[in-house]
């Protein structure tokens, strides 16, 4: 069982490293119009199945179409939700908000957990970085989840930011450019 679990973990690590290498070379995305609100809804539904005791709220309205790779955008949302599950107590509420604006869509994933120190906020998107170097693998992952988020969002022409206050929670905000009407018609 331990060998099988370690093999799966190593497989995920290799997959994550290959994805980051492809993103570094600016290749590997299948761009098309994507309703990011729909992607968020699907991700939250799956999150609730895996973590049924955690309170989750979703707020979205309006057109939230972006040009992107649906699978990779889903991975962004999944990674942010997984981060909440990994780094907050099991009953910590999570709030997901999709806000369409002129020229972009913001997606925020906020929790009411323990928060992240100012020093750590500056490093959370670094590859292999962990706030607690002593964290065990079974709970702490590979240290690549947020690096993948940052790389994928950047490859989509967007940005990602973190705001946090210790003891009050953390909010990750992804900003993606909206789909120009000419591309949506294709």
């Amino acid at each position: 069982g331990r060998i099988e679990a370690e093999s799966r973990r190593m497989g995920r690590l290799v997959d994550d490293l290959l994805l980051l290498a492809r993103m570094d070379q600016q290749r590997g995305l299948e761009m098309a119009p994507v309703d990011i609100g729909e992607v968020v809804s699907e991700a939250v539904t799956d999150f609730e199945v895996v973590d049924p005791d955690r309170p989750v709220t979703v707020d979205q309205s309006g057109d939230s179409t972006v040009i992107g790779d649906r699978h990779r955008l889903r991975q962004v949302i999944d990674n942010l939700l997984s981060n909440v599950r990994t780094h907050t107590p099991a009953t910590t509420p999570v709030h997901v908000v999709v806000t369409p604006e002129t020229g972009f869509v913001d997606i925020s994933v906020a929790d009411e957990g323990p928060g992240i120190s100012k020093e750590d906020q500056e490093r959370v998107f670094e590859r292999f970085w962990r706030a607690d170097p002593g964290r065990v693998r079974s709970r702490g992952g590979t240290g690549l989840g947020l690096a993948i988020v940052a790389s994928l969002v950047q490859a989509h022409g967007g940005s990602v930011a973190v705001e946090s206050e210790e003891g009050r929670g953390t909010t990750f905000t992804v900003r993606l450019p909206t789909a120009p009407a000419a591309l949506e018609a294709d």
Side-chain angles (χ1 to χ4, degrees):
R2 283 186 69 171
I3 291 170
E4 186 176 322
E6 187 64 15
S7 175
R8 282 192 306 269
R9 187 188 74 77
M10 290 300 295
R12 285 190 306 271
L13 177 62
V14 168
D15 289 344
D16 289 348
L17 289 170
L18 287 171
L19 173 61
L20 286 168
R22 282 193 299 273
M23 294 298 97
D24 287 347
Q25 295 174 357
Q26 298 178 351
R27 62 185 176 100
L29 296 179
E30 296 178 23
M31 306 298 266
V34 176
D35 180 347
I36 196 68
E38 188 177 286
V39 172
V40 166
S41 292
E42 292 169 2
V44 168
T45 298
D46 289 352
F47 178 78
E48 289 173 320
V49 169
V50 173
D51 201 350
D53 296 329
R54 187 178 303 268
V56 179
T57 61
V58 179
D59 181 16
Q60 57 182 330
S61 62
D63 181 27
S64 56
T65 303
V66 299
I67 295 296
D69 184 316
R70 182 181 183 84
H71 174 71
R72 295 305 179 193
L73 290 171
R74 170 66 190 265
Q75 187 173 7
V76 167
I77 306 305
D78 286 343
N79 282 7
L80 292 173
L81 290 170
S82 176
N83 207 54
V84 171
R85 188 173 46 253
T86 302
H87 300 292
T88 66
T91 57
T92 302
V94 60
H95 312 284
V96 183
V97 180
V98 179
T99 310
E101 300 286 345
T102 303
F104 60 88
V105 175
D106 281 343
I107 305 108
S108 67
V109 176
D111 66 62
E112 298 176 23
I116 304 170
S117 72
K118 289 286 185 201
E119 299 80 29
D120 291 345
Q121 289 177 51
E122 296 172 10
R123 302 194 62 199
V124 295
F125 297 108
E126 292 178 18
R127 295 175 186 183
F128 299 111
W129 186 83
R130 293 181 176 151
D132 178 6
R135 184 178 294 142
V136 293
R137 274 192 202 128
S138 63
R139 188 164 173 265
T142 61
L144 290 174
L146 292 176
I148 289 171
V149 166
S151 183
L152 287 172
V153 169
Q154 182 179 8
H156 282 85
S159 63
V160 62
V162 62
E163 290 183 34
S164 187
E165 186 176 335
E166 289 184 271
R168 302 196 84 162
T170 302
T171 301
F172 286 93
T173 302
V174 171
R175 176 169 281 187
L176 297 170
T178 55
L183 289 174
E184 286 181 22
D186 290 342

